[in-house]
Each structure stands twice: as structure tokens, then as C-alpha cells.
Amino acid sequence: MYRFLMSRQWVILTLIALLLIPTMIRLGIWQMHRYEERTARNQLVSDALAAKPVPVEKMTAPGHTVTSAERYRTVTAKGHFDTEDEVVVRRRTNSDDEVGYHVLTPFVLDDGKVLLVNRGWIPSDGPSQTAFPKVPAPPDGEVTVTGRLMPDETTAASGIKNLEGLPDRQIMLINSEHEARRLDVRVLGGYIAQTAPEPKGDTPELLGNPGKEDAALNYAYAFQWWLFAAAVPVGWVVLARREARDRAQAAAEGSDTTEAEPAAV
């Protein structure tokens, strides 16, 4: 009854099924790994945002690489802004997906070291993309700033190309090593996204809190792939039984037709 399973068509179908099962199981495992990674990241973000503010020099130093555990930690710094060496970061969006700039201002600490402060977003509403935009001034004199510690931006991590030949005082990536060479001073590793003091007139627009990744979606995808893997052998059995039934029925109908024909004289 099941000799048809040795046909070329069914051998190919069986091989495809045998290939799909481990592939779908592996995809489910990969989605579960993504769920665990995203859950761990969300926990790190929550822990960092909930932690008490600490002085920035307890978290970073010149040449330091900000780790994932240090990212988003709230830090404070006391000093003054250096607007003469201020730059803007091109092609950045706000919460409404409007394209503009991030304002990056060196913040000189009391001991002379420099902390890079991302003061927020401004629109690119100038006459051209080559002219330096009008940037609201930060507070004068000595001030204490608070912000979330961020790692240096790289092309590999962000996908943003570090273009050459940009207009004066415009950059593509926030990188403390590059800024240390440009300013010829000791710059703390990473930078901070300012959260306080709030700017006058709500501009620059402060950056919002980091969003949480949708880990539950990966969890659902994992079980979806495993259900697909379980459905493959079930589907194969259903198709095989249907094929066998159809062949048996066709054979029975052919036999009945032969018996009903009158004998030739």
C-alpha cells in the first residue's frame, strides 16, 4: 500500500521534511536566545536608570571604554560648558522622527578634564546643511550637570558612516578618542546624554529615556517555530495516509469496473 513512498516525488518530499524539522527547531532556539539577550538588556537598562546618581569620574576616565553594565548609569559632573569648541552631530532624529542635529558641548571639569555632553536635539532649519546651525546657549559659569552615561559611537555598532570632509564643527559620530585629538585635552571615555538642568525654552530637546526591547515577541516566535517543526511530521503522515487511501480507492474502483465488464464471445 505504501510502495509509493519510494517514488522520486515522495523521496524528495521526505528529505525536505527531514531538513525542515531541525532547521525550525534551531530557529526556535535562536529566537529563545534573542529573548534571553533582550530580557537581560532590559534588566540592565532598568537597573541603570534606577541606580542613584554618582560622580562621573567614578564611572569613567580618559581612555575608558564604557561597558554595557555602565551604560545609562546616571552621573553628575561639576564644571562649565565650553561653547567655543561645541559641535553638532548630523542626521539625528527626535521623538517625532524629524531630522536635525544633536548638540555636543565639551564640559570642562574642575580638574581640567573634559566630559562630552550631548545637550539634546535641534532642528536642521538653517539655510543649508553646510552652515553651522543656531544653537541655544547652555548655562553660563559653573554648573552641575546630570546625564546618562553612554559608550562611544562607532560605525560597527551604529551603522553610521564616519564621513570625511564635513562642514566645520559638524561630525557624524560621538567618539571621545576623536574629540580628545581634536581638542588636544584629556577627555573622559564615552559621553553623557544630558537630563538636567533642563534647557530654557525646551531647546535643545533633551533625549528621551531608552526604550525597552520587545523580548516577549522573540519568546512567541520561538514557540511558533517549534510548533511549525512539530507540524511537519504530522503533515507528512496526513499526506501519506491520504495518498494511500486515494490509491486504494482508485485500485478498488478499477477492480470493480473490470468485474462488471461482460465476457467477450
Side-chain angles (χ1 to χ4, degrees):
M1 183 182 298
Y2 288 95
R3 288 180 181 177
F4 65 87
L5 294 177
M6 300 305 296
S7 66
R8 181 173 180 271
Q9 177 183 358
W10 272 92
V11 168
I12 293 174
L13 182 62
T14 302
L15 290 175
I16 291 174
L18 293 174
L19 179 63
L20 284 176
I21 293 171
T23 300
M24 291 178 175
I25 292 174
R26 180 57 187 162
L27 286 171
I29 294 172
W30 176 75
Q31 287 289 354
M32 189 58 70
H33 285 329
R34 288 288 293 151
Y35 164 74
E36 293 170 353
E37 290 172 359
R38 286 185 162 186
T39 300
R41 178 190 178 278
N42 289 341
Q43 189 60 51
L44 280 175
V45 173
S46 297
D47 292 345
L49 295 177
K52 292 182 178 180
V54 297
V56 67
E57 291 187 272
K58 287 189 175 182
M59 299 297 299
T60 184
H64 175 73
T65 299
V66 177
T67 66
S68 58
E70 296 165 341
R71 187 178 188 179
Y72 301 123
R73 281 295 303 271
T74 301
V75 296
T76 60
K78 186 177 181 181
H80 65 274
F81 284 104
D82 173 18
T83 55
E84 290 185 4
D85 290 314
E86 188 172 63
V87 295
V88 292
V89 191
R90 293 168 61 94
R91 300 178 185 174
R92 299 302 168 107
T93 58
N94 65 357
S95 57
D96 296 322
D97 288 331
E98 297 172 324
V99 179
Y101 302 96
H102 281 177
V103 179
L104 187 69
T105 310
F107 188 78
V108 184
L109 306 179
D110 292 340
D111 60 4
K113 290 192 286 290
V114 167
L115 169 67
L116 300 177
V117 178
N118 185 340
R119 296 202 289 124
W121 180 90
I122 60 172
S124 55
D125 54 2
S128 70
Q129 293 292 316
T130 59
F132 190 76
K134 184 178 180 180
V135 179
D140 292 328
E142 190 170 75
V143 64
T144 297
V145 296
T146 304
R148 295 185 298 272
L149 185 62
M150 302 294 292
D152 288 329
E153 295 179 344
T154 63
T155 297
S158 67
I160 301 172
K161 293 183 179 180
N162 196 15
L163 302 176
E164 300 291 339
L166 294 175
D168 187 39
R169 300 176 65 189
Q170 295 190 25
I171 61 175
M172 296 298 299
L173 296 168
I174 304 176
N175 188 284
S176 61
E177 292 184 6
H178 295 168
E179 291 304 296
R181 290 194 294 268
R182 181 179 71 88
L183 300 171
D184 194 24
V185 294
R186 300 181 67 197
V187 177
L188 302 184
Y191 67 98
I192 69 167
Q194 183 178 333
T195 57
E198 295 186 2
K200 295 179 180 179
D202 297 326
T203 182
E205 179 184 320
L206 295 181
L207 306 184
N209 286 333
K212 290 189 175 182
E213 296 187 11
D214 192 357
L217 191 61
N218 294 100
Y219 192 83
Y221 284 157
F223 280 93
Q224 187 179 59
W225 281 117
W226 291 335
L227 286 175
F228 287 160
V232 169
V234 173
W236 185 92
V237 170
V238 170
L239 288 176
R241 289 174 63 87
R242 181 182 298 172
E243 180 80 7
R245 185 180 66 248
D246 290 346
R247 286 174 178 266
Q249 184 176 353
E253 290 176 355
S255 176
D256 292 344
T257 302
T258 302
E259 292 178 359
E261 290 179 356
V265 177

